[in-house]
Amino acid sequence: MLGEGKIYRRRDLHAKLGGQQQSGISTPSQYPVIMIFSGESGKNYGYQDGWQENDVYFYTGRAKRVI
């Protein structure tokens, strides 16, 4: 269904899969997936998401405390 390197609109993913629409992490109840939403504008709010050298995606997300 999804292809690597393709760009999808968030609203289209939610229309097809469901899940929470307001946060950066969405867990559709009918599918065994976790959707993570990130973008360049997040830097304006202190988020520093992005790919690391070891092919790991670093996602800052939102938490009640820093660990």
Side-chain angles (χ1 to χ4, degrees):
M1 177 183 144
L2 301 177
E4 184 176 339
K6 292 188 177 184
I7 298 173
Y8 298 90
R9 290 180 181 243
R10 182 178 179 145
R11 66 175 155 228
D12 294 338
L13 292 173
H14 286 300
K16 201 169 260 277
L17 302 173
Q20 304 89 334
Q21 297 182 28
Q22 297 300 316
S23 66
I25 299 174
S26 180
T27 54
S29 63
Q30 300 298 315
Y31 298 93
V33 299
I34 297 171
M35 297 188 291
I36 298 174
F37 298 95
S38 180
E40 290 296 318
S41 64
K43 292 178 182 176
N44 297 333
Y45 303 97
Y47 299 108
Q48 298 177 13
D49 307 337
W51 288 103
Q52 305 297 301
E53 293 179 17
N54 55 359
D55 291 331
V56 170
Y57 192 79
F58 182 77
Y59 182 79
T60 52
R62 186 179 92 167
K64 293 184 179 186
R65 64 186 176 111
V66 177
I67 50 175

